[in-house]
Amino acid sequence: MDMSDSNFISEINKRRTFAIISHPDAGKTTITEKVLLFGNAIQVAGTIKGRKSGQHAKSDWMAMEKERGISVSTSVMQFPYLDHLVNLLDTPGHADFSEDTYRTLTAVDSCLMVIDAAKGVEARTIKLMEVTRLRDTPILTFINKLDRDTRDPIDLLDEVEDILKIKCAPITWPIGMGKEFKGVYHLLRDETILYKTGQGHTIQAIKTIKGIDNPELDSAIGIYAEELREMLELVRGASHEFSHEAFLKGELTPVFFGTALGNFGVDHMLDGLIDWAPAPIGRQTDADIFVAAKEPSFSGFVFKIQANMDPKHRDRIAFCRIVSGKYEKGMKMHHSRIGKDVRISDALTFLAGDRSLLDEAYAGDIIGLHNHGSMRIGDTFTSGEKYAFTGIPNFAPELFKRIRLRDPLKQKQLLKGLIQLAEEGAVQVFRPLMNNDLIVGAVGVLQFDVVVARLKAEYNVDALYEHVNVSTARWVYGDPRKVEEFMRKTEINLAYDGGDNLTYIAPTMVNLSLAQERYPDIKFTATREQ
Ligand code: G4P
């Protein structure tokens, strides 16, 4: 390495790579905007929304996203905050979403959970939290929309603890709500930060009052001051104290209150992120080695592949999370699965949403590699070592349709297209053992339309869907002899996925549980590692 070790280490230490998990409408987009505002990545809030329907929405399936006002893509934004460098990986938050959302969570080191203060814990948040539990990812929490009428903050914390099974440590505490929202008290700094309305679009000077017993507080917020003092005793008694260790283990979440729209409180959360969230964490490999981020030799894994992000570049981009070392322009990487070296001179970085070429990147960063068909989700790049990173899962789809050609002569193109789209992780394909059906499985319903649009645009194949009597799938494993017997007896419910892995596809959940009872030696799993 041409740099001094201490510089290399400090580059890694200053990085924080995180994603936001939330239920649609809780405020993810608004928070992203404010975070970029604090990161000086944008000048005035309001530009992200514009981009959703702006210049990127050109290709067919992107036009579809635009039509529905949904961003199917997961983008990456890098920005500086104080003396740190933050990578924010955007996860599609709408009702229609895909496995990409889940896999993005394998590429981050911490997550911000956003909760709507009027609604509390919602369905999508529960699902995404389950995914973060697979790796015990540290979670920060932002309770949003305090400028509206909200539920009782103590109730909200109780609900998070009960439903999500994570302890809450309030770092700030809200004073009033809705029209009477006065600001927050910072429990660790012992200061009150006062809220002013109408400051949503820019960063403004804020007024803080040091000390809970400061008479200035009484003059500033009147009767709320005394109420706050009483409340805090209750809060301190009823909630958990912040513990950095418990946070890093994913057992406890620091909680911040505010309003993203009013640009209040997001910076407190960012301060928490850089102070407490882990610097880039290493990853486990199939060779039983743990590769630490500070390992000097380059390594990384592909967690997402996206086609035609920019209509001017009709290629696919493989998003690679750097696990260790440093990327330098023109360097050679070893593509572990195919056992070949590739020279990469044109990796992309994603500075606040725009893609540009970069010269170097470090562990924790995401780089975009041009993919001409050789890269798959889960692929590992190293400096020559043969290992592969583990932990990049496939999730059993929950929605299924049979796909059929309008023109039966194009069967070959259809299969090729489907297998490639499956390799990208857009959908999964299943081929039953007993017939020639092709069944498409997806996690989100939008994926079906994306697939048909892309088959047409990229493979010139006209396909349509039909109902199929499948409602759940599980990958199956076991002792080869037992699997053989199982295959003989349940052939009618078996299929191979795009990667030739055996799956049990069931018409109902009852059917699945009966099969699980009947064949205790067979393992049925809802996730499969790449
Ligand atoms: P999402 O990405 O999680 O889906 O949420 P998004 O930020 O788009 O926010 C959803 C709605 O909630 C938006 O309103 C947004 O303006 C509003 N919102 C976000 N944060 C706050 C907040 O702190 N206080 C209040 N009162 N509202 C907030 P919308 O009307 O659906 O969209 P728009 O027309 O404002 O864009």
Side-chain angles (χ1 to χ4, degrees):
M1 191 163 312
D2 59 347
M3 307 179 72
S4 75
D5 267 349
S6 69
N7 189 19
F8 170 70
I9 299 292
S10 81
E11 281 294 338
I12 292 177
N13 279 341
K14 75 181 199 189
R15 279 164 163 78
R16 298 289 181 274
T17 301
F18 83 112
I20 300 179
I21 56 176
S22 61
H23 193 81
D25 274 346
K28 182 173 64 86
T29 311
T30 314
I31 289 178
T32 301
E33 238 170 52
K34 301 303 141 111
V35 159
L36 293 180
L37 194 63
F38 282 109
N40 266 322
I42 52 173
Q43 301 312 313
V44 181
T47 36
I48 299 286
K49 281 248 157 121
R51 181 167 292 140
K52 265 189 194 170
S53 54
Q55 69 272 36
H56 292 323
K58 293 275 165 52
S59 69
D60 284 355
W61 59 285
M62 286 212 163
M64 192 171 70
E65 289 182 22
K66 180 184 161 186
E67 222 168 80
R68 303 185 183 195
I70 299 168
S71 171
V72 191
S73 29
T74 307
S75 51
V76 179
M77 288 157 272
Q78 187 177 66
F79 58 90
Y81 183 69
L82 302 179
D83 49 358
H84 284 68
L85 203 57
V86 181
N87 293 306
L88 170 55
L89 277 55
D90 184 31
T91 47
H94 257 273
D96 288 315
F97 74 125
S98 69
E99 293 175 67
D100 274 351
T101 308
Y102 291 147
R103 277 190 294 252
T104 294
L105 299 179
T106 67
V108 300
D109 304 304
S110 57
C111 284
L112 169 66
M113 170 165 73
V114 177
I115 288 177
D116 182 325
K119 296 189 177 148
V121 176
E122 296 178 87
R124 177 63 40 79
T125 312
I126 298 174
K127 242 177 140 169
L128 291 169
M129 273 293 278
E130 275 171 20
V131 180
T132 68
R133 297 304 79 195
L134 298 174
R135 284 178 48 232
D136 294 329
T137 307
I139 308 286
L140 295 109
T141 300
F142 186 78
I143 299 192
N144 191 27
K145 306 197 186 182
L146 263 291
D147 60 321
R148 290 221 188 129
D149 284 343
T150 70
R151 289 174 44 193
D152 177 356
I154 292 198
D155 271 2
L156 288 169
L157 299 195
D158 281 347
E159 189 170 288
V160 170
E161 297 204 339
D162 286 350
I163 298 179
L164 303 176
K165 309 283 177 238
I166 188 165
K167 292 176 191 155
C168 290
I171 304 301
T172 62
W173 196 258
I175 309 166
M177 65 159 107
K179 287 202 172 57
E180 291 293 298
F181 182 50
K182 301 291 177 200
V184 296
Y185 172 76
H186 200 294
L187 279 87
L188 304 185
R189 295 183 196 157
D190 182 28
E191 63 185 27
T192 305
I193 305 132
L194 297 178
Y195 171 63
K196 257 200 304 192
T197 54
Q199 315 286 303
H201 293 291
T202 47
I203 301 173
Q204 301 281 333
I206 35 155
K207 188 169 163 54
T208 60
I209 297 169
K210 196 81 197 156
I212 188 72
D213 293 318
N214 192 333
E216 251 187 73
L217 190 61
D218 300 78
S219 6
I221 59 172
I223 52 158
Y224 284 98
E226 211 35 54
E227 232 173 69
L228 173 67
R229 290 178 189 118
E230 280 165 26
M231 193 65 202
L232 283 175
E233 271 177 44
L234 194 80
V235 170
R236 287 209 166 94
S239 66
H240 297 270
E241 220 176 285
F242 178 69
S243 148
H244 194 200
E245 201 188 325
F247 164 66
L248 291 177
K249 285 189 191 152
E251 292 166 357
L252 171 145
T253 177
V255 182
F256 302 85
F257 291 86
T259 154
L261 196 64
N263 197 14
F264 187 85
V266 174
D267 50 338
H268 311 149
M269 179 283 297
L270 275 174
D271 292 344
L273 180 84
I274 61 168
D275 283 350
W276 304 322
I281 299 173
R283 294 290 190 277
Q284 195 63 43
T285 69
D286 60 355
D288 229 8
I289 315 166
F290 181 84
V291 178
K294 288 166 192 166
E295 198 78 44
S297 58
F298 173 89
S299 69
F301 64 87
V302 174
F303 62 95
K304 173 190 169 62
I305 290 177
Q306 189 171 322
N308 305 340
M309 282 169 77
D310 181 337
K312 287 200 294 284
H313 305 80
R314 283 196 67 90
D315 54 2
R316 290 170 198 199
I317 300 295
F319 288 76
C320 175
R321 146 94 194 209
I322 303 180
V323 174
S324 67
K326 178 185 173 190
Y327 160 82
E328 275 169 301
K329 194 176 163 171
M331 78 184 282
K332 217 165 63 183
M333 297 180 188
H334 183 72
H335 189 167
S336 173
R337 180 176 52 82
I338 59 176
K340 274 197 186 140
D341 287 347
V342 281
R343 193 170 291 282
I344 308 282
S345 54
D346 54 356
L348 302 169
T349 181
F350 304 93
L351 203 67
D354 288 319
R355 55 192 243 179
S356 54
L357 294 179
L358 90 165
D359 292 333
E360 55 179 46
Y362 291 85
D365 289 342
I366 311 301
I367 54 175
L369 306 174
H370 291 274
N371 179 20
H372 307 290
S374 60
M375 297 176 199
R376 289 188 197 165
I377 285 173
D379 277 359
T380 295
F381 288 92
T382 68
S383 305
E385 297 87 345
K386 306 274 180 255
Y387 60 71
F389 288 108
T390 57
I392 305 111
N394 265 317
F395 294 88
E398 288 160 12
L399 304 162
F400 300 85
K401 287 181 183 179
R402 182 189 296 121
I403 191 162
R404 192 168 68 74
L405 285 165
R406 282 183 210 275
D407 171 2
L409 293 177
K410 298 228 164 142
Q411 191 67 23
K412 243 175 143 173
Q413 283 98 315
L414 174 66
L415 193 61
K416 181 176 164 218
L418 282 178
I419 288 186
Q420 284 193 0
L421 293 175
E423 278 172 6
E424 268 183 36
V427 281
Q428 298 182 36
V429 201
F430 299 97
R431 290 159 295 147
L433 268 49
M434 293 283 273
N435 57 45
N436 291 324
D437 281 355
L438 281 175
I439 298 171
V440 173
V443 174
V445 74
L446 180 67
Q447 300 311 115
F448 289 112
D449 297 355
V450 169
V451 163
V452 162
R454 289 188 55 190
L455 283 171
K456 179 120 189 71
E458 295 166 38
Y459 300 91
N460 198 21
V461 167
D462 224 342
L464 52 93
Y465 293 110
E466 290 171 343
H467 173 78
V468 62
N469 192 21
V470 173
S471 68
T472 187
R474 291 289 183 274
W475 285 281
V476 290
Y477 306 89
D479 178 272
R481 274 198 329 250
K482 303 266 184 206
V483 170
E484 209 174 292
E485 188 194 330
F486 174 69
M487 281 176 75
R488 265 203 316 276
K489 294 195 170 143
T490 61
E491 199 175 5
I492 190 158
N493 286 107
L494 290 174
Y496 287 111
D497 72 3
D500 289 334
N501 304 291
L502 194 63
T503 40
Y504 185 83
I505 51 180
T508 61
M509 288 309 273
V510 175
N511 175 293
L512 174 66
S513 12
L514 286 176
Q516 284 168 317
E517 270 171 41
R518 207 164 295 155
Y519 303 96
D521 297 327
I522 300 289
K523 218 170 111 193
F524 296 75
T525 66
T527 55
R528 189 182 68 75
E529 293 235 331
Q530 299 279 341

